[in-house]
Structures are given as C-alpha cells and as structure tokens.
Amino acid sequence: MIKSIKLEKSFGTNHVLKGIDTTINDGEKVVVIGPSGSGKSTFLRCLNCMEDPTSGSIIFNGVDIADMSVDINIHRRKMGMVFQQFNLFNNKTVLENIMLAPVSLAIKDNGGLFCPVAKKNQIKEEAKENALKLLERIGLSDKADAYPYSLSGGQKQRIAIVRALAMNPEVLLFDEPTSALDPEMVGEVLSLIKELASTGITMVIVTHEMGFAREVADRVLFMDKGIIEEEGTPEEIFGNPKSPRLKDFLGKVL
C-alpha cells in the first residue's frame, strides 16, 4: 500500500531522515519505535506529505505522492491521521468535529463521494448518522453535544480516532497517540487501537509503549539517527535484537 524509497528530510542543516526504504503492505500493522529525535514522527508525517520530503519517493497505491505535480489532497483523504495533542476544534462540539471533514469533502460513509448535485442536507444527514454510530461504538454517545474542553484526555483521543475513521481511510497513521495522556487514560486509548487493528485496516503507529508494540504489531521498525536500524517481527525485535543500538535501547525502556 505504501512504499518509501530513499526518503530524505532536512530542516535547514538538520538532516532528520537519511534514506528510508520500507514497504507497508495492505492490512499490515507497522509499529515504529526508537529514541526521541530519531525521526519517527517526521517519517510518519512524510508518509502523508504533512511534511514534504527533501528527496525520495512515497508510493501510495501506485502513485508517487511526493511528486509536487500530484494533488496530495485527493490521496490524503484515504489516510487518517491521529496526533499526539488530539487537534480537536475547541469551538465545535464533538459531533461537529467528527462531521467536519466528511461534510466539507462530501464523503459518504462507505468512503465514496457524493455526486456534485447532492443536496447539502443529504450530505450532512449521512455524516451525522455515521458520526453517531462511531460515537456509540466507542461508548461516548452521551458526549455528542459536548465541547472538547469538557472531556478527559482519553476521551479526546478516542474522539480524535473516530474523527479519522469518519473519513473511511484505507490507512491510519498514529503519532504517539498516548504520549499526552495521564497514565490511567492510556489503557482506554490503546484498547480502541487494538480493536481497530483486529478489523484489518492498515496501520502505522509511532509509540513508546513497548508492550503495546509487542502485542499489536505485525512488524516493528526501530529507528535511530534518521535511519531504520533494524526491523522484524515483534518476536525478533524484542526477543532476539541484533544491533547493539537496539539492545541498548531495549535495555533502557523494558
């Protein structure tokens, strides 16, 4: 589904990504681990071109979305993104937050597009119906008319996840989804991500939660200093690490 080829990213003189080559297959759960500053989040943000790569290619469903001539917004609709800091609109209710993108882009709940002559009310009604179903799925139906400031961190992040799901994406990208949460709220968010993983959707997850990575991942990428230092199954990465740098990292975090 996604292939990065010789992916490079620099911010001025700071060379963050140094030639990332990897493939993410349809339905695969790829977890990215590594020390702070290793390039994990930058790699994730390059996958949907929230950060424009300095060089290299990102092939998504056969299209190089790093090519500046490509309309990235068409392809980005198929990639849901969940951020560390939730990024909910505080002046909109929970329901409005979830409905915003599907209504703006006239996206049906099956991922298709409404025809250009579809009535605005029809688009809104379907988006609302889908949003309410998603809220019921995560047990937050009673928060539909609440504003984000009144929610706990765990509730905000679960809302952010279903907001991404409302776009009917083909892949979900998670950028350290639990790093801004109090410890007791981490479990409810990880449980939701585990449930979504079981549905077969493609996922790329940057996380510091090693137990979660071991449980959910099909494949783990260990990044350090802008490169993929080692990759393999959770059993290989956590049970039989090969590189001294990975052994050192795991020795500090496990």
Side-chain angles (χ1 to χ4, degrees):
M1 181 175 281
I2 307 172
K3 187 173 186 178
S4 71
I5 304 169
K6 298 180 180 177
L7 186 64
E8 307 256 348
K9 178 63 181 178
S10 295
F11 296 95
T13 58
N14 185 14
H15 196 181
V16 179
L17 299 181
K18 303 171 183 175
I20 303 292
D21 289 298
T22 194
T23 298
I24 296 152
N25 297 308
D26 188 14
E28 192 174 25
K29 282 71 184 165
V30 176
V31 175
V32 187
I33 64 171
S36 296
S38 60
K40 305 184 302 295
S41 291
T42 299
F43 169 61
L44 194 75
R45 292 169 71 88
C46 281
L47 288 183
N48 70 350
C49 293
M50 290 190 73
E51 296 287 355
D52 291 327
T54 303
S55 64
S57 298
I58 302 161
I59 311 299
F60 178 52
N61 285 338
V63 177
D64 185 0
I65 60 174
D67 184 337
M68 298 303 287
S69 67
V70 170
D71 184 350
I72 183 58
N73 290 317
I74 292 174
H75 301 281
R76 198 181 278 143
R77 291 172 185 170
K78 300 172 185 176
M79 291 185 174
M81 182 82 174
V82 179
F83 302 89
Q84 297 179 40
Q85 300 294 338
F86 324 128
N87 288 12
L88 298 173
F89 293 99
N90 285 316
N91 64 332
K92 295 185 180 296
T93 66
V94 164
L95 190 62
E96 289 169 337
N97 266 280
I98 299 170
M99 290 172 58
L100 182 61
V103 169
S104 299
L105 298 171
I107 292 178
K108 295 185 176 186
D109 66 1
N110 64 2
L113 298 178
F114 281 97
C115 67
V117 296
K119 293 181 180 179
K120 193 172 183 180
N121 285 345
Q122 179 189 356
I123 296 169
K124 278 190 172 181
E125 278 306 308
E126 184 162 326
K128 182 178 180 179
E129 184 180 341
N130 189 42
L132 290 171
K133 285 179 184 175
L134 289 169
L135 284 173
E136 184 177 356
R137 178 177 176 181
I138 63 169
L140 291 176
S141 297
D142 60 326
K143 302 297 183 183
D145 296 320
Y147 286 86
Y149 66 80
S150 68
L151 305 177
S152 70
Q155 289 171 333
K156 288 178 184 177
Q157 192 59 293
R158 284 188 287 157
I159 297 298
I161 291 170
V162 297
R163 179 182 60 178
L165 285 174
M167 295 290 289
N168 246 307
E170 295 179 15
V171 58
L172 281 172
L173 308 176
F174 294 87
D175 187 8
E176 298 188 27
T178 60
S179 65
L181 301 179
D182 292 333
E184 68 266 25
M185 296 177 183
V186 170
E188 64 189 59
V189 172
L190 294 183
S191 292
L192 176 56
I193 298 174
K194 288 176 190 175
E195 179 197 327
L196 294 175
S198 69
T199 67
I201 190 170
T202 308
M203 290 183 172
V204 185
I205 308 166
V206 171
T207 186
H208 290 292
E209 300 286 340
M210 297 299 118
F212 171 73
R214 192 194 297 255
E215 186 176 347
V216 169
D218 296 314
R219 184 159 49 98
V220 178
L221 307 182
F222 171 64
M223 290 187 65
D224 186 45
K225 296 180 180 178
I227 65 168
I228 296 175
E229 177 78 21
E230 191 168 336
E231 64 179 292
T233 65
E235 292 77 15
E236 291 167 338
I237 292 295
F238 295 106
N240 188 29
K242 294 180 174 58
S243 79
R245 181 67 187 95
L246 175 56
K247 291 177 183 178
D248 179 62
F249 173 77
L250 294 176
K252 293 174 179 175
V253 299
L254 292 179

